[in-house]
Each structure stands twice: as C-alpha cells, then as structure tokens.
Amino acid sequence: MLKIKKYGAIDIGSNAIRLLVANVISKKNSEPQIKKSSLVRVPIRLGADVFVKGKISKANEKRMIDAMNAFQLLMNVHGVENYRACATSAMREASNGNEVIDSVLDKTGIQIDLIDGKTEAEIIFSTDLADVIKEDKSYLYVDVGGGSTEFTVFSNGKLINSKSFKIGTVRLLNKVVDKKKLWPEIKDWIKSNTQGMRKVTVIGSGGNINKIFKMSGRQPGKPLSFIYLSAHYQFLKQMSYDERVTELSLNPDRADVIIPATKIYLNAMKWSNSNKIIVPKIGLSDGIIKTLHQSEI
C-alpha cells in the first residue's frame, strides 16, 4: 500500500532562508522516495549583520518574521504534516540570537532549532550522500555556507574526520576572516587528513556549486574538472557584479558570493590533490526532510 506524507524543512542560513516542501512516498519492501514539491528562497543576509556587528538588526528580524509567517501559510496550503526549522552559523553567533528565536516563535508559531556544525553535517549525511560514496574510493566533502564551511574526509566507506571552519562567503565578502591564519589552518587540516590517499574526489555542496554546475550544462552525476572550475573562477572574476547579474542572470544575492565560494572549492581541490568535483543535489533542507521521516518510522 502506498503511503504519502508531506514534510517541510526551513534552513536559516547566513546568506538566505529556504523553505523546502517535499512528499515522502513509502511502499512496503521499498526504499522511500522523496519528491520535492516546492522550494522558496528568501535573500535575508543575516551574516552581513552578525559577522560585522555581532547581532541581527531590527530590520532583518522583521524580515525574518515576515518570511516565517509566509512559510507557515505556504506549509498550511501544501498540507505539510510535520516540519523542522534549523538555523546555522549566523544565528548561532548573534548576541541576540535567542531573543530573535523567541520573537519568531511568539509572532509566527515556528520553533527554530540552533544547530552546530557537527549536527548540520550529520543531517546532510542522512541524505543520499551514501549513494555517491563508493567503498574503495576516498572523498573530501566540502559544504560551503555563508558563515562556515564543513570539511569531511571519507575513505574506504568510513568517515575519517570532520571539521567546521569559520570561513564562508558572507564572512569573506565582509572581510571579517583572518585569511593569513585560517587558510593555512584549512590547508594543513586537509593535507594531514588526506595524506596517503590516492585520487581523492571532492564532493561539493551548497547553493553556489549547484549554480556553477547548472551553468556548466553537464549531465547530472558528471563531475567538473579542476581545470574547468579554475577557468570558470577566472571568468567570473573578470566580470563586474552588474555583468554577472545582467549577462549571466545570477540573482543579486548570488552574484557576489559565488566568487569567494568558488575559491574555497578550488583550494579544497588543490590541497587534497583532487582533479574533479562531483555535485549531488543535496543540502541541509534535504537532510531535514529525511530525518523527519526517519524519526516517524
């Protein structure tokens, strides 16, 4: 007998806030299928507040409340049966983060969970990442966000090590990263954790690498080479912000962060001696949907 449940996932990031609505289709003796029904992305750049001034501004708090009210209505219309809202780097570091969470709950009824980098990685790993990882290969998983980047090394089907660094696209744009200190730390971590591994493949996660992959015209499942990504990085850099918006049709809040994001992926590939990056369509919101379903089985 076919069973269909509808779930909602709210991802409150440093660069944008997303609502994913998905159907989970279950059938006896079969793996459940997740079908995305709707994805709404709102460009509320919380990181621009937090990483520079240390707190969420009143203006962005109001925008968050408006967004959550809209998400609540959309979930009602879609008939969502269960949902979870997770906040990452920017909300964790905001001095008024808990106050904003209480305000959102009071005005919208939506409870926001503050999650750390480790929990964020665990939620993402609950997705179909296991289908990508082959037991006889080595991988460096790189999830680039607005406030932090998670690095995880897999080899022979096992998780070797994982670490979150406070380097992200919004932090880099706002020049609040000590690059002289942090880049060498990341380089040392990647090199020491991939030492002795042959042919490391980078797995890229995040909105920017998904956009780059879409722009490449590659078929799903096909990797991007280091040479391609490096050339694309130079191509993006030589264009002005206005040109990236008008000629490449990038969203205004994507046209600036895409450059520092590409730099992070390139460095990860270089330091792990990887010549290719694969881009499965997975992220925090996908993981939230899957973990919600698994918790009810």
Side-chain angles (χ1 to χ4, degrees):
M1 183 179 171
L2 206 63
K3 193 175 177 182
I4 302 172
K5 284 204 75 172
K6 192 161 279 191
Y7 296 92
I10 298 173
D11 170 8
I12 302 167
S14 302
N15 189 45
I17 297 174
R18 300 170 187 81
L19 166 67
L20 171 65
V21 175
N23 291 301
V24 178
I25 304 165
S26 306
K27 195 177 178 183
K28 199 173 179 181
N29 301 322
S30 298
E31 281 290 310
Q33 290 182 298
I34 296 176
K35 301 286 186 185
K36 296 179 183 181
S37 179
S38 174
L39 178 63
V40 180
R41 181 178 181 275
V42 184
I44 302 174
R45 194 166 279 182
L46 297 177
D49 282 344
V50 178
F51 306 142
V52 177
K53 297 174 185 173
K55 62 186 291 187
I56 294 166
S57 66
K58 283 293 180 186
N60 270 343
E61 180 181 342
K62 185 182 182 304
R63 292 178 74 205
M64 264 193 75
I65 289 167
D66 288 344
M68 293 300 149
N69 275 320
F71 287 177
Q72 185 74 275
L73 289 169
L74 283 168
M75 289 192 291
N76 290 343
V77 170
H78 278 282
V80 166
E81 297 172 62
N82 197 3
Y83 75 91
R84 187 182 182 190
C86 292
T88 56
S89 187
M91 286 287 283
R92 280 199 303 268
E93 294 179 36
S95 62
N96 61 340
N98 287 321
E99 292 170 36
V100 172
I101 286 172
D102 290 342
S103 179
V104 168
L105 178 60
D106 180 56
K107 292 181 170 64
T108 72
I110 290 178
Q111 174 66 57
I112 297 170
D113 296 333
L114 272 181
I115 59 171
D116 57 23
K118 185 173 181 290
T119 304
E120 185 177 354
E122 286 170 356
I123 292 172
I124 294 170
F125 297 155
S126 72
T127 63
D128 297 331
L129 190 60
D131 297 339
V132 176
I133 295 169
K134 294 181 172 59
E135 288 196 4
D136 58 340
K137 305 284 185 186
S138 296
Y139 301 89
L140 173 62
Y141 174 81
V142 184
D143 179 41
V144 177
S148 63
T149 298
E150 275 65 51
F151 296 91
T152 306
V153 177
F154 296 93
S155 190
N156 299 319
K158 294 178 182 176
L159 192 155
I160 305 301
N161 205 352
S162 182
K163 186 161 184 179
S164 177
F165 288 90
K166 287 185 178 180
I167 190 167
T169 57
V170 180
R171 281 192 208 271
L172 287 166
L173 270 185
N174 285 279
K175 296 180 171 58
V176 289
V177 174
D178 185 351
K179 291 190 280 189
K180 287 184 179 178
K181 179 177 178 285
L182 210 50
W183 280 129
E185 280 184 17
I186 297 169
K187 180 181 179 180
D188 290 346
W189 189 90
I190 291 173
K191 282 188 169 291
S192 63
N193 282 281
T194 57
Q195 194 173 18
M197 295 179 183
R198 291 180 64 251
K199 293 186 178 178
V200 174
T201 297
V202 170
I203 301 171
S205 174
N208 290 291
I209 195 68
N210 280 313
K211 186 63 182 178
I212 291 167
F213 186 82
K214 189 176 180 181
M215 291 167 72
S216 75
R218 300 282 202 285
Q219 290 297 311
K222 297 292 183 184
L224 300 176
S225 68
F226 178 83
I227 293 171
Y228 173 85
L229 195 60
S230 184
H232 192 75
Y233 176 64
Q234 295 303 327
F235 167 68
L236 290 170
K237 271 184 74 178
Q238 72 182 9
M239 300 181 83
S240 68
Y241 171 81
D242 291 356
E243 287 170 335
R244 291 194 293 273
V245 171
T246 56
E247 295 180 27
L248 300 182
S249 298
L250 293 177
N251 286 334
D253 68 308
R254 177 75 68 208
D256 52 0
V257 294
I258 198 166
I259 290 179
T262 311
K263 179 74 172 176
I264 295 172
Y265 292 114
L266 282 171
N267 280 340
M269 293 178 79
K270 183 167 63 178
W271 297 331
S272 60
N273 292 316
S274 175
N275 61 10
K276 64 181 178 180
I277 181 170
I278 54 177
V279 189
K281 290 192 78 174
I282 55 171
L284 180 62
S285 51
D286 302 272
I288 292 171
I289 298 289
K290 194 150 190 177
T291 53
L292 277 173
H293 175 68
Q294 288 170 343
S295 69
E296 294 183 357
I297 295 174

